[in-house]
Amino acid sequence: MPLASSPIGVFDSGVGGLSVLRALLAAMPHERFVYLADSANAPYGERGDAFVAARTHAITQYLRDQHHIKALVVACNTATAAAIHEVRSSHPELPLVGLEPAIKPALAVTKTGHVGVIGTRGTLTSAKFSKLMTSLADQAHFVVQPCDGLAHAIERSVALPPAAAGSPVDATETGALCKRYVQAMGGFGKEPGQMDTLVLGCTHYIFVAHELRALVGPEVQFIETGEPVARQTRRLLEAADLLALPPPPHPNGQPTSREGPESVQLLTTGPVAMLEAAAQRWLNLPPSLCRSVSVP
């Protein structure tokens, strides 16, 4: 049986789920985490449901067997859509949190009633997403745009230097893809008929927020899922009496803070250099936390 001191498992098809890990670290500073990027098989968004479901089951079992996780966050919209119900059935005692594009939070903030949604093709063509959109279709006008190749380009970009200040958005591969897809969606802004809200329906996309902001303007609200997922994970752990307690105070009376190397493990089935670069750039975590693993 898991203990409160056991780690929380977090996985994504690649490094995009680090955006969710960042929110989890902020919301639960006393927890331990094992993050697994299945980069050898990324991107999931352009794979079939059967393949994604098989990987999700294999990784869940690996994290339970090898790391004795007390909860699992599926930090991948595509894997959630393809496999979350099956994983719940196979592991009914495991607190489990999945992701879906944050359509409902977007409805709560839009003023024009026009909402843009970007995501992987796997997410946006899934039965789960279709059911969600059907249930909300009369509440706003949605423009849904699959962004083929963008998540993979973001993965590749972590090893590249950032674009020089003042360069055009399309000076990089990620910027060029963002520009293509944003322009295909139509008008953004606060005027009637314009999209004033953009749902980032893939965990990777928050890492191109700068490029997206340059394209849609300063008034458009971005909605992503990291913070809501962190809040839900905390609620589930509290309900199961598995939330880690703060450590005892230091002998000199100072509070004991999180020690990153003791509380975070970063694993990948692909090249470890990519995960090292992403962890350092996006979470300011040292490369020493990263290692490569095999998950058959």
Side-chain angles (χ1 to χ4, degrees):
M1 292 293 292
L3 305 172
S5 58
S6 300
I8 299 168
V10 185
F11 100 88
D12 185 22
S13 63
V15 298
L18 291 174
S19 63
V20 176
L21 178 61
R22 182 168 61 184
L24 289 163
L25 288 165
M28 293 176 284
H30 306 299
E31 295 290 352
R32 297 167 55 221
F33 294 93
V34 179
Y35 179 90
L36 195 150
D38 193 21
S39 293
N41 296 289
Y44 282 1
E46 293 157 38
R47 301 261 196 177
D49 281 358
F51 178 87
V52 174
R55 292 306 297 162
T56 303
H57 282 289
I59 289 167
T60 302
Q61 200 62 54
Y62 170 85
L63 289 171
R64 297 204 73 182
D65 292 344
Q66 300 299 319
H67 296 278
H68 310 294
I69 58 170
K70 65 180 180 181
L72 177 66
V73 177
V74 181
C76 175
N77 288 275
T78 304
T80 298
I84 196 77
H85 296 304
E86 294 178 12
V87 174
R88 286 191 200 282
S89 297
S90 301
H91 303 270
E93 75 290 354
L94 182 69
L96 183 64
V97 180
L99 269 67
E100 67 180 19
I103 305 299
K104 293 177 183 176
L107 289 173
V109 300
T110 181
K111 299 293 193 295
T112 66
H114 290 254
V115 175
V117 185
I118 55 176
T120 67
R121 189 167 297 275
T123 295
L124 301 184
T125 60
S126 68
K128 190 172 188 293
F129 182 74
S130 177
K131 183 178 179 182
L132 174 66
M133 292 300 292
T134 299
S135 70
L136 302 172
D138 60 344
Q139 298 187 38
H141 175 75
F142 296 98
V143 177
V144 178
Q145 178 62 53
C147 298
D148 296 335
L150 181 55
H152 202 30
I154 293 168
E155 298 251 333
R156 290 193 297 270
S157 75
V158 299
L160 304 174
S167 14
V169 170
D170 56 4
T172 63
E173 180 189 15
T174 53
L177 287 169
C178 288
K179 184 175 180 179
R180 180 199 304 174
Y181 296 127
V182 166
Q183 288 184 341
M185 296 177 75
F188 284 87
K190 300 185 76 172
E191 298 300 318
Q194 292 183 325
M195 290 171 278
D196 65 349
T197 307
L198 180 61
V199 176
L200 308 185
C202 171
T203 55
H204 289 71
Y205 295 170
I206 193 65
F207 297 126
V208 288
H210 176 76
E211 291 91 332
L212 292 169
R213 177 62 65 204
L215 292 163
V216 303
E219 297 179 326
V220 173
Q221 299 189 74
F222 291 169
I223 309 292
E224 54 96 19
T225 53
E227 290 182 5
V229 164
R231 288 194 296 269
Q232 174 65 1
T233 304
R234 185 183 178 99
R235 281 194 292 267
L236 289 180
L237 290 175
E238 287 175 336
D241 201 23
L242 288 172
L243 192 69
L245 299 175
H250 194 273
N252 65 9
Q254 296 298 316
T256 304
S257 62
R258 163 194 298 279
E259 295 295 334
E262 296 178 1
S263 60
V264 181
Q265 295 183 65
L266 302 173
L267 314 176
T268 179
T269 60
V272 73
M274 179 185 292
L275 182 59
E276 290 173 346
Q280 197 157 26
R281 178 181 289 192
W282 295 333
L283 274 68
N284 199 30
L285 292 174
S288 58
L289 301 182
C290 304
R291 63 186 176 92
S292 183
V293 297
S294 176
V295 182

